[in-house]
Amino acid sequence: MKIKGTVPISEKGTVPFIFAALLALAACGSPYPKLEKLDANAVVLAFGDSLTFGTGASPSESYPAALESLIERKVVRSGVPGETSEEGLARLPGVLDEVQPKLLLLCHGGNDFLRKLDDAKTAENVRAMVKLARERGIAVMILATPKPAGIGTTMLPFYADIGRENAIPVEGAVLNDVLTDRSLKADLVHPNGKGYRKIAEAIAKVLRKAGAV
């Protein structure tokens, strides 16, 4: 059975400095959270919403497609545009069963923020997705999503908190950098091909620092 949203792949804003700094430390801190090295045949699952699907660019320009070429491992793109974190939590078990990944790249929360859902519930859902994967022996990396705030954005600290709780890497800067740069966007809330490439490069950098590749 094919799981919905699963596809195999072969305007500068203002950000409160303290939140950006905390998330940057979570992604690049010392000591850096380590991941088990992925062997050449390992499968990586990129799971999330439209940012993972690649809305705003062609499938070949999505961040999972770009990442696959950068890390030389198979990356499965499983993004559903418009999906909330609650919907993602419900969908994740079936995708994990189908894909059997060694590493989960989790990018969720953006649609919760756009719909003004409860931040605490979003954090609870992201935390539950991390737990679900780790209980199956799957390594996890989180991509923190910025929240619209007035004319700019803010970064919520719960992503970094979940990273610290689970000793897993959190990339806490690149999505904000891309989504607040008009030259890297296809529309108000989605990157273009160049933006997705920058996201993939940032993820690859974290994976190398963490020892996964």
Side-chain angles (χ1 to χ4, degrees):
M1 179 179 70
K2 190 66 180 175
I3 301 297
K4 179 183 177 183
T6 300
V7 182
I9 302 293
S10 274
E11 342 168 20
K12 284 286 182 187
T14 58
V15 181
F17 177 79
I18 187 168
F19 290 117
L22 284 171
L23 285 164
L25 285 172
C28 304
S30 179
Y32 197 86
K34 296 299 181 182
L35 296 171
E36 184 177 348
K37 188 173 181 63
L38 299 169
D39 64 41
N41 297 318
V43 176
V44 176
L45 173 62
F47 186 87
D49 50 32
S50 58
L51 296 177
T52 301
F53 180 81
T55 300
S58 68
S60 64
E61 293 177 312
S62 66
Y63 98 69
L67 181 65
E68 182 170 279
S69 66
L70 290 170
I71 67 172
E72 299 182 331
R73 270 75 168 179
K74 180 179 180 180
V75 179
V76 173
R77 174 171 61 105
S78 186
V80 175
E83 184 175 76
T84 65
S85 63
E86 183 175 7
E87 293 167 335
L89 176 58
R91 184 171 65 92
L92 182 58
V95 179
L96 294 178
D97 287 344
E98 180 187 6
V99 177
Q100 296 291 309
K102 293 295 185 182
L103 172 66
L104 169 66
L105 301 177
L106 181 59
C107 179
H108 245 300
N111 288 307
D112 298 51
F113 303 150
L114 291 173
R115 298 181 191 184
K116 299 182 179 180
L117 302 179
D118 181 62
D119 292 342
K121 182 61 176 177
T122 302
E124 180 182 323
N125 292 333
V126 172
R127 187 174 278 106
M129 284 188 269
V130 170
K131 181 180 179 182
L132 180 65
R134 286 168 61 85
E135 286 178 343
R136 299 183 182 209
I138 300 167
V140 182
M141 174 181 163
I142 294 175
L143 281 72
T145 304
K147 179 180 181 179
I151 61 171
T153 58
T154 188
M155 299 301 294
L156 298 184
F158 73 73
Y159 291 109
D161 292 342
I162 294 171
R164 283 192 295 269
E165 291 165 10
N166 294 278
I168 59 175
V170 177
E171 210 308 322
V174 70
L175 286 180
N176 186 75
D177 291 346
V178 169
L179 295 176
T180 56
D181 186 335
R182 290 181 180 180
S183 71
L184 299 175
K185 293 170 69 176
D187 56 38
L188 289 176
V189 295
H190 298 108
N192 56 25
K194 289 183 179 179
Y196 284 119
R197 178 73 183 187
K198 183 170 181 178
I199 293 168
E201 290 171 347
I203 295 169
K205 182 177 180 180
V206 173
L207 292 178
R208 292 188 186 101
K209 287 185 175 181
V213 294

